[in-house]
Every structure is written in C-alpha cells, then in structure tokens.
Amino acid sequence: MTNSRRGRSASAEDVAKLAGVSRASVSRVFSDQGNVARETREKILQAANELGYQVNFLAQGLNRKRSQLIGVVVARLSDPFRSSLLEGLLSEIQRKGYQALVTEVRDANELEMTIRRFTQFRVSGVVVTSGQPPADLVKECVQHNIPVVGINRHMDIPYVDFVCSDNKMAASLVAEQFIRCGCKSIGWLNYKESTWSGINRGKVFYQVMVEKGACDESDLLQITAEMDGYEGGRQAAHRFCEQGKIVDGVFCANAQLACGFLDGMRENGFDAPADFHIIGFDNTPQTAQYSYRLTTIHQDVLETAKRVLSRLEARGQDPHIVQSIEEIPVKLVIRNTSPNFEPTMIRAK
Amino acid sequence: MTNSRRGRSASAEDVAKLAGVSRASVSRVFSDQGNVARETREKILQAANELGYQVNFLAQGLNRKRSQLIGVVVARLSDPFRSSLLEGLLSEIQRKGYQALVTEVRDANELEMTIRRFTQFRVSGVVVTSGQPPADLVKECVQHNIPVVGINRHMDIPYVDFVCSDNKMAASLVAEQFIRCGCKSIGWLNYKESTWSGINRGKVFYQVMVEKGACDESDLLQITAEMDGYEGGRQAAHRFCEQGKIVDGVFCANAQLACGFLDGMRENGFDAPADFHIIGFDNTPQTAQYSYRLTTIHQDVLETAKRVLSRLEARGQDPHIVQSIEEIPVKLVIRNTSPNFEPTMIRAK
DNA sequence: CTGTTAGCGCCTTCAG
DNA sequence: CTGAAGGCGCTAACAG
C-alpha cells in the first residue's frame, strides 16, 4: 500500500517522490536534456534503480509526437537475400538506438495499410524493401513529417530517398568478366514479373553490353522464367534446353534463379564452367556452397543499411532537403561457375 | 487557421467538433466498445474520413496500459529455417491485428536489454525464438502482466509457455525409416555448442533408438561439428572421413548441417543414398533442391505460430493459468537421400 | 539548476 | 445512448 501502486510499474512521479525532487528533474535525467546537478542526478538514479523505474516509451512518444520506432516493410523473407537484408537493417536500427517495427506485405493494398499503421505509431522513419510506396500514402508521411526511404528501387517521388546497389557497376563487372573469358553468346535470366531492381539490372546490363560492343540486340538472349525463385530458374533451364538453344554466359537477376538455372542445366547434362559460364546476383550463403560455388555479384548489405539510417536521420531533421539517390558499390565474387581464366576461349566445343 | 492545427494530424477532438458530438463518442466508435446510435456513428465516420483521422496508438496504449505490439526475439536470420519461422510469426501476428516489434540478439545480455525495451513499449506479448529468457527478466514481465512464450525450447519457468516441435515424434519417424532401410550403424550430427532444441533432438533420438532396440550405446555414433551451419557440417564430414569412420545413416540436428555434411561426404567420394542415408531437420527450401533432395523432418511453422499467438492471448487474459508446453507434430518428408525402400539392405558394400 | 504548469490524444467511469 | 470530467506518464516552456 505504501509502495505506490503495488505490482504496477513505477512512474517518474514515484521516483521523484522517493528522491525528493520534481518529476521534471527525473525527466531531465532520463532524456539527458538540460542540466542537472550531479548530486540530484545521483539521488534520482538511485531512487529509480530502487523502484526499477523505466521510461514509458508510449507516453514519451505521445508527448514528443515521435516514437523511437522505425517501420520496416519486407516481403518474401524466404529469399535468403531478403532475410540478410533485414538482418542488416535490424542490426543498424538497434545500433542507432531505435526499435524496428516489421511488417511483411504481400500486395500493394497491404503496403498501404501497413504504412498507415506505422504512422499511427508515430514512427521516426519508414524503410521500404519491397513494393512501390504509393504516392498518396507517402504524401501522408511527408505531412506527418515521417521520412521514407526505399531500398533497391527508385521512383520519382519527391521527398522520398532511395539507396540502391549499383546495378551499372554490376553490369560492367559481369560484362568484363564474360568478355575476358571469351563468352560470345550471352544470356540474361529474369523472372517474368520481376521487381524493379530485377528489371533495372537487365536493362542496364543490356546497355553496358552494347556500349562495350560485346553484343547488339540480337546477341543478348533474354531468358524468361515463368516462376520466381529456384524452381523458376530450373524450369527456365529445361525449357531452354528443349528449345535447343545455347549460351556461353548467363547473368541472372538473383541468386535463387541462378541456382535453379544451374541445376536445371545440370539435369540436362550441361555444367558450369565446362559448358557455359553463369553469374548470379546477391551472393547469398547458399551460392558459396560446394554444390554451386557460384560466381556472383555481392551486394553490401551493411553499407546499405548504414546509408538508409543516415538518410532517415537527415530527412528527419530537415524534411525539405532534395531527394537523394545513393548507389552502393558492388563486388564481383569469382568462384567456380565463371573462374578467372586468362582471356582464351573456354569451350572446346 | 480555422482547420484546427494545420498540417498536424487530426485528433479525436477535431472529429468530435466536426461531427458535433463529444470525443467520448468518437472514442467509442473507433474502439467499438459501448453502443452508439447508427446515426451518430455515421456522422462520426464521415467526419473522421473527411479529416483523415486515425487513432493515435501511442495515446491509446498509454491509456490502456497495453499496446497492440508484440515483441519477437530472433537470432541468426541467415539460417533459412529461422527466417521462415519469423515469416510465419509475422503473418500470424498481423492476421490477429497486432504489430511485430522485432529484435535480433546475439547474446544473453542483448536479450535482457531487448525484453526490457519491449516492456517499455507495453507490448501485449513477447515471443522468444532464441536464447533462454533470463528468469528475473521474465519475472519482470509477469509483474507487468506481459505474457512470454518460447519456441523450440523449454524451461521450467513458471508462467512462461512453450511451443515446440515434437522431437520425440521426429526421432521415431527417423529411427523407423533407418530401420526399415536396414541401416545398421547410425550417426547423430550436431554442432558442438548447439541450441536447446538441437541437444534435445539428439537426446531423444538416442532414447528412441535404444527403445526400439536398434542400437545400444556403442552403436550411436556422435558426430560433432566444431562450427555451426553449412561449413560446420562439411568440415565434420571431412574429419569423419579422415578418421576412416563409416556410417549407414546420419540424422542431423538441422538442415544447414545436413547439407554441409552431405557435400563434405561427396567431396570424399561418398554420396547418398548410394553409400549412406542422411536425414535432416527443418525442411528448408534449399533441402528440396536438385543438388540435395534431402529426406528431412518437416516442422509446421504456421501451426507453431498459431499456437504461440493463442497462448499469448490466453495468458493475456489470465496471467495465472498453469504453464503450458505444446508439442507440434512433425512429418517425415521422404526424398532422395533416404528413399522409401523396401526393407532390404541398401549397400552392396 | 529546479519546480510549476500545461498539455500530448485517448479511454473510462459516472451522470444525465 | 451521450456528454463531462479525470487521468494515463511524460515533456516542454516558463518562472524562480
């Protein structure tokens, strides 16, 4: 009875009473704003410790009109790259002292509900790793002064920033590798209804190939998967072989497709690097494994996450800065499916 | 100027004014508690719509002393099983109208900080998929009346519930399969510093094997990986072969180890099912792929998530119900690495 | 440096 | 069925 509200958690007021000060001082100590005499601070900390006091973030956020929450929109976590991206984001979000609010969305409608709910929690920022942020929704965020940043996509929405792996650099690295290895007929494998980044990667790759004079339109073979993921790649390979087509080098929009395509080709008696070269995107752990040892473009997830957070904070301070689009450098990881040959023809055939 | 606070988001009071009612009624409509005349309800909804009103969850939570947040503790999302588990949890959490607060932890210390932060957000529940919830921390949760449930682990903490894949059932299914296939020398592969569920799976498997008379102590070969994940399994295989050991059937604590071990054996010239049988745990997408086609125990992630949420809600209503430990049935998915043979010897050797 | 005073936006009795 | 009043726990001026 004496101990304020039995069982309930202690409030700043309880602490203030015990320490014999005002709640304002308690607040000052725990949000370390404004100055507090060392002596009173210690009294407060001790009292707080005694009562097991902890700031109520709900009340804090209500008052500040901003919680320390950051909303993260994800999709298809079963893709290893996406889950490693989430991992990087979580780690960076926590390091900066925020808390991640994670929602998985399946369609545009869910994205809309989600962003709306994020604003209801007065999040400090929204990270979109999937789907196109609907323009009007974003407007709402801007109105509420909530920064939005998209990863691996890019649209012309004012006040929304983007950070994106450097697809052009990726294309160049791959093109050079293929050329160095003497590949002549090059293919580009992508899912029929790919994401923005998938499509963009293909477009840029084609441009680069033409620029380098490595191919004209007829040379770049578009291989289209009817399905996404590993199975999609595998079936694409089967259809490819049925049609009696042939390639020297295949570049794939993502790691899953690449592994699937490689396995599909193997089922048809073709293997890399003996019969063709194949290079993937994402560098997921699986691609490093013995059964694949895939040469692949590596995306720097941690750097991406860092940039995202710093964008979020920048726009949090000044909502009206100009849109920023950052490209994160990528690396080519050479493994078995397109090894570092001297510039000679690889196929005896 | 007339329009209340320009730019700011509308509050219940704004809606009340516009609709010509009291804020209490607005509140009633949006938390659909208490009765409101159809007519006034409609007036309110219209006004709300006009102003783009949305409930402020911070204020709501502050008042209700409980947010609609659910804290989820994860680790090592790079393991495909763990990310699929998270996926299942997210989906169920959203379906039930909650919002997930996700934190990745690396050690016990972080777990503690995390749970503490969860309580500061007055979450409606905490789901621990990794690490042992420290007893005193949990006590704090109980005190705050926050339900805690652990997945694939089990400890004797009062008022904390657990839901766990049925490891005994898994062991039986695998034992029977090995016996049916005539495997004689059976191995159990696990990481040196495995998780609770890994260790438990091994213990139970041994028990079952003895029960079935399929082996006594000397028969069950403990294969220990010095490292976790794919590489751990692979290196274990290499050491295993160096030592000139031999097995008929290997059961693995998880999918990553299984794939690694299989590949390691292949590098040494042994393959499944020709030279030995191997069965994994988790049934991650990768295990289904052409290069592995691993026979494996399947854990029902969605069912697990469902049970978790229902436990959370049950204890949310009555914090003092007795501890519940649910076992989720598993299935044996027969694939290539231990096919459905008639009961005969498989090895010519 | 510290205390006082107003809210933040919502929910919940309690009257009417 | 509806309105008025008080409070959830914290912060942000403003005085002292």
Side-chain angles (χ1 to χ4, degrees), chain A residues 7-27:
Chain A
R8 298 236 119 286
S9 44
S11 74
E13 178 150 16
D14 301 332
V15 177
K17 261 182 207 147
L18 208 176
V21 300
S22 74
R23 25 197 150 131
S25 297
V26 178
S27 173

Side-chain angles (χ1 to χ4, degrees), chain A residues 306-342:
Chain A
K306 282 213 172 87
R307 302 284 192 99
V308 168
L309 266 286
S310 93
R311 280 299 89 212
L312 242 32
E313 293 192 322
R315 188 168 295 281
Q317 298 206 244
D318 179 0
H320 298 296
I321 54 180
V322 63
Q323 182 189 42
S324 129
I325 297 181
E326 303 196 45
E327 313 252 273
I328 309 297
V330 298
K331 288 187 307 191
L332 178 65
V333 178
I334 300 277
R335 294 205 191 90
N336 190 50
T337 61
S338 180
N340 235 342
F341 277 143
E342 293 305 302

